[in-house]
Amino acid sequence: MSTKLIYFAWVRERIGKPEEEVELPSGIETVSELLRWLRSRGEEYENALQYPDVIRVAINQEHVGHREKIAGAREIALFPPMTGG
């Protein structure tokens, strides 16, 4: 099953694309594991996700922590910390 990954702000700029459909490898069960796997996909991903602890994540449009399971996710969004104003 493919999962849509959506990238926002400087995460998008550093990766070089706004979104993509990926087939997640078996063994990728949590947000943290997803971020680790993405970093291994190339220099642009490593650059965008070099500080994974600051990356915010939403699964199916709901904010989640890095320990959250991703099983069944149709859409996962990655974005940097947001500031209000």
Side-chain angles (χ1 to χ4, degrees):
M1 178 175 111
S2 68
T3 302
K4 183 178 191 176
L5 300 179
I6 304 172
Y7 309 115
F8 290 95
W10 54 256
V11 175
R12 176 187 61 233
E13 292 166 8
R14 292 176 184 175
I15 289 176
K17 59 181 107 179
E19 62 185 50
E20 64 182 319
E21 291 278 337
V22 297
E23 293 288 333
L24 298 175
S26 62
I28 305 298
E29 296 180 1
T30 66
V31 168
S32 182
E33 291 169 348
L34 170 67
L35 294 174
R36 191 175 315 115
W37 173 72
L38 285 171
R39 288 178 62 193
S40 74
R41 294 184 71 208
E43 185 177 331
E44 63 276 18
Y45 293 92
E46 175 65 33
N47 187 31
L49 304 170
Q50 63 183 321
Y51 303 108
D53 292 343
V54 302
I55 301 297
R56 305 285 311 265
V57 179
I59 295 178
N60 299 330
Q61 301 181 1
E62 289 191 30
H63 291 269
V64 298
H66 286 199
R67 294 181 184 183
E68 186 73 24
K69 300 276 188 189
I70 60 174
R74 296 178 314 278
E75 175 184 282
I76 301 174
L78 306 176
F79 44 95
M82 298 177 285
T83 59

